[in-house]
Amino acid sequence: MSPPIKTHRSPRSEEKKRLIDGNLPAFHSALTDWFQQKGRDLPWRHTHDPYAILVSEVMLQQTQVATVIDYYQRWMVRFPDASTLAAAPENDVLHAWQGLGYYSRARNLHKAAQALVRDHGGTFPSDPEAIRALPGVGRYTAAAVATFAFDAPIPPVDGNIARVLARLLDFYEPVDSSAGLEHLWETATRWQPERGAGFYNEAMMELGALVCTPRSPVCETCPVEAFCAATDPELLPIKKPRRKTVLLDEHCAWALQDGRVLLEQQTGTRWRGLWRLPVLAKAGKGTPLVTLDYPFTHHRITLRVFPFVMDSGESRQWFSLADLADVPMPAPHRRALKQLLRQAALQG
Ligand code: SF4
């Protein structure tokens, strides 16, 4: 038997919780009327094309909306459908993704397009299980594509919607625990409208993005305040304790010769296939030419670049300065490269 679910037991919150289940049509109308008037005009909201929605959802997984808009629009021009993406070389796909980070998303999107062509004749399946079987597509993304493209009454519960649900329910179980998450999925499924589920789910997401924000939710202007059981919304959602940040050092070489730069192609899981500054086993001598910090999962990495004499090899290759813009590189190494090229130009 699953453990009992913890909630704040104030009379106000108990009364409000019953309100939503007993008044679903009024709750749906309050939310969707607000969304109709206040929802943002985002490019992927103009389409029901499941491929375009998949692209936007994958991009939005780790990246802010404002950054994604440009990338999404350029991507849809370059790879307008699954067949075009499936046929593109991986280098082109990674290049189009450059700067968005977490490159496994681009590789999986590429593989998903190939699976759509190979297994579905290029037609996107509407069955949520078949969507979920595509490479890189998890429970949330499959639900998002099914509901936004096909209007399926399936809730896409991401961190944003989990926060809104936790507050509406005054729910004090960690939303990233399996018991807590399951309770939220069940509730969100029960609350799905019979018609217009895609629009309703989009409205829930928008509420989390614009009103029921992580810090300082704007309860005074919230369209569903009358239905909300939260007694202290800023305390919610509860999450499991975070992993500690681990500090790491990364040392790389700067080799510039006859107007060419030496780069190394990454072979491991992180950044696989991208070109980066060649790795040094230990720090070079003297002061680094460039030092910069960047985050990676729960790590904080300090990248230091030293002048070094080395030559091309199995995974290392010289690139002319004119070609560098077209080489797919991880964002921190692209930043370091720009600084190094500026310094080299100043030194003549
Ligand atoms: Fe509840 Fe406030 Fe969030 Fe609205 S904004 S759902 S009233 S916590």
Side-chain angles (χ1 to χ4, degrees):
M1 210 170 83
S2 53
I5 298 296
K6 278 181 261 167
T7 56
H8 233 38
R9 298 199 182 281
S10 86
R12 177 186 176 273
S13 64
E14 290 301 321
E15 189 188 318
K16 288 274 186 92
K17 261 179 277 172
R18 284 195 297 275
L19 253 181
I20 295 191
D21 272 311
N23 292 285
L24 276 177
F27 173 69
H28 292 150
S29 301
L31 184 62
T32 52
D33 288 354
W34 166 82
F35 181 49
Q36 187 89 50
Q37 289 172 28
K38 306 279 185 185
R40 289 166 297 174
D41 182 16
L42 300 175
W44 45 90
R45 289 189 176 153
H46 291 276
T47 180
H48 288 284
D49 172 8
Y51 164 74
I53 289 167
L54 177 65
V55 170
S56 69
E57 285 299 334
V58 173
M59 286 184 173
L60 286 164
Q61 274 166 18
Q62 319 270 355
T63 314
Q64 303 281 330
V65 168
T67 307
V68 167
I69 291 174
D70 269 0
Y71 275 91
Y72 169 82
Q73 288 173 324
R74 271 184 272 132
W75 185 281
M76 291 308 294
V77 170
R78 194 161 175 182
F79 311 114
D81 49 45
S83 311
T84 311
L85 178 59
E90 184 177 79
N91 224 36
D92 286 5
V93 176
L94 295 176
H95 187 257
W97 199 267
Q98 185 175 270
L100 276 176
Y102 297 96
Y103 288 83
S104 57
R105 294 183 293 167
R107 274 188 216 97
N108 279 331
L109 205 45
H110 195 203
K111 284 188 205 147
Q114 288 165 344
L116 283 168
V117 171
R118 186 184 60 239
D119 304 335
H120 300 277
T123 305
F124 213 103
S126 58
D127 171 23
E129 286 309 313
I131 300 174
R132 199 168 168 183
L134 294 170
V137 174
R139 186 180 188 181
Y140 162 78
T141 307
V145 174
T147 196
F148 299 145
F150 302 107
D151 218 21
I154 300 173
V157 182
D158 64 348
N160 200 30
I161 288 195
R163 179 178 64 254
V164 177
L165 291 167
R167 288 174 176 167
L168 286 169
L169 294 163
D170 209 30
F171 182 65
Y172 278 75
E173 189 84 9
V175 295
D176 48 359
S177 68
S178 36
L181 194 57
E182 214 39 58
H183 181 70
L184 296 184
W185 276 97
E186 275 171 24
T187 308
T189 303
R190 194 171 69 241
W191 289 355
Q192 290 295 292
E194 279 173 21
R195 289 179 38 208
F199 194 70
Y200 161 79
N201 286 320
E202 195 83 69
M204 279 290 268
M205 288 195 142
E206 196 71 336
L207 188 74
L210 300 184
V211 180
C212 196
T213 47
R215 276 170 230 93
S216 313
V218 202
C219 301
E220 335 49 275
T221 59
C222 176
V224 292
E225 197 278 335
F227 302 89
C228 181
T231 47
D232 199 344
E234 286 186 50
L235 291 182
L236 294 170
I238 303 292
K239 289 196 180 161
K240 292 194 286 194
R242 276 190 155 196
R243 281 170 87 180
K244 270 178 88 177
T245 302
V246 177
L247 302 178
L248 290 178
D249 289 318
E250 182 180 16
H251 303 118
C252 289
W254 173 237
L256 176 68
Q257 199 179 290
D258 304 327
R260 296 173 310 156
V261 172
L262 191 66
L263 298 178
E264 184 172 275
Q265 194 166 33
Q266 187 80 355
T267 50
T269 45
R270 177 171 74 129
W271 297 340
R272 185 160 48 83
L274 301 188
W275 292 86
R276 49 173 292 166
L277 296 163
V279 181
L280 294 173
K282 55 183 184 157
K285 292 207 178 83
T287 312
L289 295 170
V290 164
T291 302
L292 56 84
D293 280 357
Y294 65 93
F296 186 75
T297 59
H298 65 290
H299 300 100
R300 184 94 213 152
I301 299 175
T302 301
L303 166 64
R304 294 187 181 85
V305 188
F306 298 89
F308 215 81
V309 178
M310 53 166 61
D311 213 338
S312 53
E314 201 181 317
S315 58
R316 290 197 295 264
Q317 200 177 300
W318 292 100
F319 289 89
S320 74
L321 298 185
D323 289 340
L324 283 175
D326 293 327
V327 178
M329 291 185 76
H333 283 246
R334 172 73 66 191
R335 266 197 289 145
L337 180 72
K338 280 186 181 161
Q339 288 188 37
L340 291 158
L341 289 171
R342 253 197 315 271
Q343 289 175 16
L346 286 174
Q347 286 161 6

